[in-house]
């Protein structure tokens, strides 16, 4: 590799900041980047959860620091960025990952439900961007932002309109930012996982009359979900290859995504099939 290309590479052994790092995909990315030698700053709304991840990384010989942060609070993200820059002087990888799920019939979805998911899944990413990007532009080294969107940022899904709205927004935002920022040294990836076996469904509101839907979804994610470690590896790969969209696992997302790009009707058929598979176990 030429010296010029090497100089443009993001240092995976540098400094990383990950939100929603107390569980699931964020936790797995924290371990993966620490394994590459990064000093990882881990933020989560749950202090004890993120402390436990920090403990695990340190026990494995890595360098990690916990921060109790609610991503809906722009001031808290700003304070986090100030702390990280004071401690380590730069950020090589920012992973805006914290998020929640929400599912339910639209007539049972209140304005408060919409606001909550938009505040966490969309504004949480926005707050990460506004706090860190000005500082990342000032530092004289290349860096990368991974925004966790979802396969549902590329395709539609039934009873998931608020979630899909936030994740489609994160994909559009990430692609636009990648175009704007990559010539200035910051690559941006929209990470689009399919079904991943994490705590997401357990931590989510699933509204239904029968009360059975949530348990069905928990079982489905445990049975069919890919590992969060596979997502973490894909995220690191996306940073290395400077991909603006990273789907993982490919088979969970590509068929419906491609169907939808060929024709809206084909995409709708794929979305209905996915819904049947998930809720009725067909
Ligand atoms: P998870 O529930 O295991 O982890 C999410 C973490 O985010 C938790 O530790 C939680 O405490 C934290 N969090 C929630 N609200 C927060 C807030 N306001 N401020 C700071 N931290 C907060 O879920 P998972 O699956 O690891 O989710 C991570 C991201 O991946 C989310 O954005 C989710 O939408 C996305 N995703 C997950 C998929 C899956 O199948 N598990 C599929 C596609 C995307």
């Amino acid at each position: 590799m030429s010296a010029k290309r090497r100089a443009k590479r993001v240092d995976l052994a540098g400094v990383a900041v990950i939100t929603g790092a107390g569980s699931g995909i964020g936790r797995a990315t924290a371990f993966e980047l620490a394994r590459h030698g990064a000093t990882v700053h881990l933020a989560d709304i749950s202090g004890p959860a993120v402390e436990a991840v920090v403990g695990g990384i340190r026990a494995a010989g890595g360098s990690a620091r916990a921060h109790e942060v609610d991503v809906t609070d722009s001031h808290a993200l700003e304070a986090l960025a100030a702390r990280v820059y004071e401690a380590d002087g730069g950020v090589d990888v920012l992973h805006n990952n914290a998020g929640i799920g929400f599912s339910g019939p639209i007539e049972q979805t209140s304005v408060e439900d919409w606001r909550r998911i938009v505040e966490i899944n969309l504004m949480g990413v926005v707050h990460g961007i506004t706090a860190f990007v000005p500082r990342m532009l000032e530092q004289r080294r290349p860096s990368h932002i991974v925004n966790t969107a979802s396969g549902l940022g590329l395709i539609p899904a039934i009873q998931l309109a608020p979630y899909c709205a936030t994740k489609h927004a994160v994909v559009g935002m990430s692609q636009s930012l990648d175009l704007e920022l990559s010539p200035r040294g910051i690559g941006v990836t929209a990470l689009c996982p399919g079904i991943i076996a994490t705590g997401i469904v357990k931590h989510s509101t699933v509204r239904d009359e029968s009360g059975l839907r949530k348990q069905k979804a928990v079982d489905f994610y445990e049975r069919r979900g890919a590992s969060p470690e596979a997502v973490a590896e894909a995220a690191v790969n996306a940073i290395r290859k400077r991909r603006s969209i990273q789907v993982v696992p490919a088979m969970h997302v590509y068929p419906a995504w491609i169907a939808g790009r060929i024709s809206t009707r084909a995409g709708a058929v794929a979305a209905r099939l996915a819904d049947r598979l998930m809720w009725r176990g067909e």
Side-chain angles (χ1 to χ4, degrees):
M1 190 189 302
S2 71
K4 203 169 160 195
R5 272 199 73 186
R6 208 174 306 122
K8 281 192 172 169
R9 279 189 75 152
V10 173
D11 183 8
L12 292 171
V15 179
V17 178
I18 303 161
T19 68
S23 173
I25 292 168
R27 178 182 185 279
T29 313
F31 272 95
E32 181 68 12
L33 287 169
R35 201 175 60 76
H36 279 81
T39 294
V40 290
H41 287 267
L42 307 183
D44 201 284
I45 197 167
S46 166
V50 84
E51 288 285 359
V53 178
V54 164
I57 289 172
R58 286 187 183 156
S63 169
R65 200 168 148 188
H67 306 266
E68 192 175 316
V69 173
D70 178 349
V71 296
T72 66
D73 179 354
S74 61
H75 302 294
L77 262 298
E78 183 58 35
L80 173 68
R83 275 202 304 279
V84 171
Y85 272 79
E86 196 181 313
D88 290 315
V91 168
D92 300 278
V93 176
L94 169 65
H95 187 182
N96 291 308
N97 166 76
I100 57 162
F102 174 89
S103 150
I106 199 64
E107 68 277 18
Q108 292 174 29
T109 305
S110 66
V111 173
E112 285 66 37
D113 294 329
W114 277 96
R115 287 224 167 92
R116 177 155 184 269
I117 197 162
V118 168
E119 277 300 316
I120 298 174
N121 290 9
L122 176 57
M123 293 312 291
V125 178
V126 170
H127 296 152
I129 299 293
T130 51
F132 282 91
V133 167
R135 292 174 166 94
M136 289 163 88
L137 285 169
E138 289 295 310
Q139 70 193 25
R140 293 182 187 278
R141 62 192 208 237
S143 56
H144 201 97
I145 299 170
V146 177
N147 293 326
T148 304
S150 169
L152 296 184
L154 301 168
I155 56 183
I158 296 165
Q159 294 201 11
L160 282 158
Y163 185 80
C164 282
T166 62
K167 296 302 186 176
H168 276 70
V170 171
V171 170
M173 180 212 295
S174 304
Q175 287 189 288
S176 303
L177 287 175
D178 188 52
L179 288 175
E180 180 177 340
L181 295 175
S182 61
R184 301 168 75 189
I186 308 176
V188 183
T189 298
L191 182 63
C192 298
I195 306 281
I196 314 300
T198 68
I200 191 159
V201 184
K202 240 177 257 167
H203 299 152
S204 296
T205 302
V206 179
R207 203 155 281 152
D208 78 309
E209 315 262 83
S210 71
L212 298 173
R213 231 170 128 89
K214 182 156 178 165
Q215 194 50 48
K216 269 193 172 176
V218 168
D219 294 345
F220 184 83
Y221 273 66
E222 272 172 13
R223 225 177 42 241
R224 300 283 185 101
S227 74
E229 287 72 27
V231 181
E233 274 175 37
V236 166
N237 212 18
I239 297 169
R240 281 210 179 101
K241 305 239 164 88
R242 292 205 154 238
R243 291 201 179 119
S244 69
I245 292 188
Q246 176 68 54
V247 165
V248 59
M251 280 313 289
H252 286 195
V253 182
Y254 274 124
W257 188 25
I258 291 167
R261 291 188 73 99
I262 293 167
S263 96
T264 316
R265 192 164 291 180
V269 169
R272 287 190 196 286
L273 277 174
D275 184 65
R276 285 232 294 274
L277 187 71
M278 171 125 144
W279 302 116
R280 281 162 233 161
E282 287 168 18

